[in-house]
Amino acid sequence: QVQLVESGGGLVQAGGSLRLSCAASGLTFSRYTMAWFRQAPGKEREFVARISWSGGMTYDADSVKGRFTISRDNAKNTVYLQMNDLKPEDTAVYYCAARLAGRTGWDAAYWGQGTQVTVSS
């Protein structure tokens, strides 16, 4: 069975940094586009970043503003999200998603359970 397990979340002060990890199993990791989304209570799920099987990266510029970096290690079946200069508006549950390369949309993708990121001011 496919499993995506996020880790690395926590409580940090504004201006701090966190590195999120998503460990995937049950799939051929190198064939999947991976992505990070986030969702806060009362808000819709928001796209943050994605990375293709070949390493091509796409960010939501308005949300990230040059502060976040997505990367992947196919040998470890893991995708990362390095978050710097965190702001209170970054507070959310962060979710990892996996989509077969060549597909579009995320509604039918695999999803992790999420990891909480809380940024205090």
Side-chain angles (χ1 to χ4, degrees):
Q1 57 181 353
V2 174
Q3 286 191 315
L4 305 177
V5 181
E6 301 95 335
S7 61
L11 174 63
V12 299
Q13 294 186 5
S17 298
L18 286 173
R19 189 192 193 197
L20 306 183
S21 298
C22 172
S25 61
L27 52 75
T28 304
F29 186 75
S30 62
R31 298 187 66 218
Y32 280 78
T33 297
M34 305 297 297
W36 288 96
F37 292 77
R38 65 187 182 186
Q39 186 172 27
K43 298 182 179 179
E44 296 184 357
R45 184 186 67 187
E46 178 185 33
F47 169 79
V48 177
R50 67 172 167 86
I51 183 167
S52 73
W53 68 271
S54 60
M57 295 167 284
T58 300
Y59 300 92
D60 182 338
D62 290 338
S63 299
V64 175
K65 298 182 179 180
R67 299 178 294 119
F68 294 1
T69 302
I70 189 171
S71 62
R72 68 190 294 164
D73 186 339
N74 287 350
K76 297 181 179 179
N77 286 7
T78 301
V79 63
Y80 305 94
L81 185 68
Q82 178 67 46
M83 305 186 295
N84 298 324
D85 191 24
L86 285 162
K87 305 177 184 298
E89 64 184 8
D90 296 319
T91 295
V93 177
Y94 283 70
Y95 295 94
C96 176
R99 183 182 70 194
L100 188 65
R103 302 283 81 82
T104 59
W106 294 95
D107 291 341
Y110 295 108
W111 295 87
Q113 293 183 336
T115 184
Q116 176 71 48
V117 172
T118 303
V119 184
S120 64
S121 59

